[in-house]
Amino acid sequence: MSEHKNPYPGENNTGHFWDDENDVRELNNRPPRWYMQAMAVSILAVIIYSFYYPSIPWFGDHYKGSAGWTQVGEMKESVAELEAYREKKFAATEQAIADSSLEDIVRDDELRTYAVKTAKVLFGDNCAACHGAGGQGNAGFPVLADDDWLFGGTLAKIEQSVTNGRKGNMPARMLGITDAQADELATFLIETGKGEAGNPNPASKALYLSKGCIGCHGPTLKGNQMLGAANLSDGIYRFAADDQHASVVRTITHGVNQGHDPLTQDAVMPAFGNSKVIDAVQLKKLVVYVHQLGGGVPVAPAAKKAQVSNDPMYTPVAAASDSFADVIAAAEANYKKNLAQNAAWRDTGKMIKEAKKTKDAALAKIANTQAVNALRQASMALTASPTF
Ligand code: HEC
Ligand code: HEC
């Protein structure tokens, strides 16, 4: 850049010339009109914007804006929109879960998958505090992910557990058990629970039998799911402890859920049947979820609907009499329907031909029976439930 005396005094220039020939000069014209107008519009926009939306900070707060818009409000609106969308999208599936039996939900891949996926969060919110994430159990709370059930692992039993809650009951010091006897019983149970590796004293079995344990835990120590009495033969301890022997002694001397005894083992499963946090559909999902965590008693496949279609295409033609002519006529009519449905059995046609040649009434009858059976089969394939 170089500066010179202004050689163009009549011109509205600033005196800045940008090259030696003075071809490039800085003038002092007004900016173009469109430019000034755009600026005016922008200023106006800022004023309106500042008035409309939250803007100017003051005194530890800020001007809230005339529109009442907030970022949090906008987020809430979006979330509501999303939820409405989800509700619409999954309404049919939710309804199907509401309308289906637990067995049918488990049998249906789509419903089961949906129930399990949506129940995972419900389980985390409502059950995991006691049963552990994924039902792995917590000290003092039963594992739901194994096949060692207190009350039973069928869908119906699990539903009962969740709906009505559970509260096992074991009296303290059955029939006046002494400390020494409690100790002996604990040793006996723990050794029995070790299976092959264990070394239970056979003489202690008499004590077990004489103190009424058998009434709930059974003669083979396998427990009783009607009463929620634990299986004592499997070495799985619900009241697990570092010192398992001491814990079993405690259970024997203070019982389970004996409210008056401060050392009793507490084991209360709350009822979720009338809960405000879980509705009926959610409860179903949770039951299906727990059932598939592991150890759920498998659900039998649905019985096939052996219903026959009413379509005349599938209705067999009956032979008017047992005469060769009538039977072969029926066989031919039925075989024609077989062919029309692509359901013909391979040798029916051959049999009909052969029977016609030999006038063999018995063969005609077999051919007809085959044609009728093929019709039934085609009809059943048509009406059988497609999901299983
Ligand atoms: C306050 C703790 C607690 C919460 C919360 C809880 N449970 Fe339980 N649950 C228990 C206890 C304790 C038992 C065992 C009761 C007994 O032994 O009498 C149990 C038992 C069960 C059983 C029976 C297990 C068996 O072996 O037969 C099922 C099934 C079950 N709970 C499912 C659930 C589900 C699903 C939820 C959530 C909706 C849930 N529980 C929430 C404490 C809880
Ligand atoms: C009235 C029924 C009843 C009788 C009788 C009974 N129990 Fe129990 N027992 C239970 C119930 C219910 C539980 C709790 C199961 C649970 O909630 O995990 C239990 C739990 C136990 C446990 C804890 C198991 C574990 O997994 O931690 C032991 C050990 C036990 N009983 C031993 C005995 C012995 C020994 C006797 C006899 C002196 C006896 N019980 C008599 C009902 C009974």
Side-chain angles (χ1 to χ4, degrees), residues 13-78:
N13 66 41
T14 62
H16 288 164
F17 302 151
W18 299 82
D19 65 343
D20 292 339
E21 281 76 39
N22 295 345
D23 287 336
V24 182
R25 308 193 291 280
E26 182 178 322
L27 304 185
N28 196 14
N29 294 333
R30 279 176 66 81
R33 176 171 292 204
W34 67 264
Y35 183 87
M36 295 310 287
Q37 282 171 344
M39 193 160 94
V41 170
S42 314
I43 291 170
L44 199 66
V46 168
I47 292 170
I48 294 173
Y49 187 96
S50 310
F51 177 70
Y52 195 72
Y53 286 112
S55 52
I56 304 156
W58 55 44
F59 307 116
D61 200 4
H62 60 84
Y63 170 64
K64 299 269 191 287
S66 71
W69 179 93
T70 64
Q71 220 164 23
V72 173
E74 187 172 272
M75 185 207 62
K76 282 188 181 151
E77 257 172 47
S78 310

Side-chain angles (χ1 to χ4, degrees), residues 122-131 140-144 146 148-153 157-162 165-169 225 227-229 238-239 256-257 266-270 272 278 283 286-287 289-291:
L122 291 171
F123 191 87
D125 288 351
N126 299 289
C127 322
C130 292
H131 291 289
F141 297 101
V143 176
L144 299 179
D146 64 7
D148 184 52
W149 295 96
L150 290 166
F151 296 93
K157 291 286 179 191
I158 297 172
E159 186 183 30
Q160 272 175 24
S161 294
V162 185
R166 296 289 193 184
K167 191 173 176 190
N169 172 45
Q225 295 189 339
L227 304 167
R238 157 110 147 59
F239 303 113
V256 177
N257 287 327
D266 290 317
V268 180
M269 161 73 194
F272 285 88
I278 289 180
L283 197 143
L286 279 166
V287 171
Y289 177 78
V290 169
H291 180 261

Side-chain angles (χ1 to χ4, degrees), residues 150 168-171 174 177 185 189 208 211-213 215-217 227-232 236-240 244 248 251-252 256 267:
L150 290 166
N169 172 45
M170 168 166 158
M174 284 285 293
I177 287 176
L185 275 170
L189 293 179
Y208 173 83
K211 289 298 178 183
C213 317
C216 295
H217 294 285
L227 304 167
N231 182 343
L232 302 177
I236 300 175
Y237 288 97
R238 157 110 147 59
F239 303 113
Q244 196 56 54
V248 172
T251 308
I252 295 171
V256 177

Side-chain angles (χ1 to χ4, degrees), residues 80-243:
E81 235 170 68
L82 181 71
E83 260 164 23
Y85 167 77
R86 272 197 196 140
E87 213 158 275
K88 209 171 109 203
K89 180 149 190 240
F90 296 118
T93 319
E94 291 279 330
Q95 190 60 45
I97 293 209
D99 294 343
S100 306
S101 70
L102 290 164
E103 280 78 8
D104 283 343
I105 297 171
V106 170
R107 285 184 194 118
D108 185 300
D109 282 344
E110 194 192 334
L111 289 186
R112 187 186 59 245
T113 309
Y114 176 81
V116 168
K117 280 199 174 148
T118 47
K120 207 168 171 183
V121 176
L122 291 171
F123 191 87
D125 288 351
N126 299 289
C127 322
C130 292
H131 291 289
Q136 295 302 323
N138 271 335
F141 297 101
V143 176
L144 299 179
D146 64 7
D147 56 2
D148 184 52
W149 295 96
L150 290 166
F151 296 93
T154 62
L155 284 167
K157 291 286 179 191
I158 297 172
E159 186 183 30
Q160 272 175 24
S161 294
V162 185
T163 307
N164 306 325
R166 296 289 193 184
K167 191 173 176 190
N169 172 45
M170 168 166 158
R173 287 197 194 273
M174 284 285 293
L175 304 177
I177 287 176
T178 64
D179 284 351
Q181 287 171 328
D183 192 66
E184 181 183 341
L185 275 170
T187 305
F188 172 67
L189 293 179
I190 288 175
E191 286 304 315
T192 307
K194 287 180 185 164
E196 301 272 283
N199 187 19
N201 180 357
S204 301
K205 180 89 188 241
L207 184 59
Y208 173 83
L209 295 176
S210 71
K211 289 298 178 183
C213 317
I214 180 176
C216 295
H217 294 285
T220 54
L221 283 67
K222 295 254 185 282
N224 182 340
Q225 295 189 339
M226 294 293 286
L227 304 167
N231 182 343
L232 302 177
S233 70
D234 57 6
I236 300 175
Y237 288 97
R238 157 110 147 59
F239 303 113
D242 291 338
D243 185 346

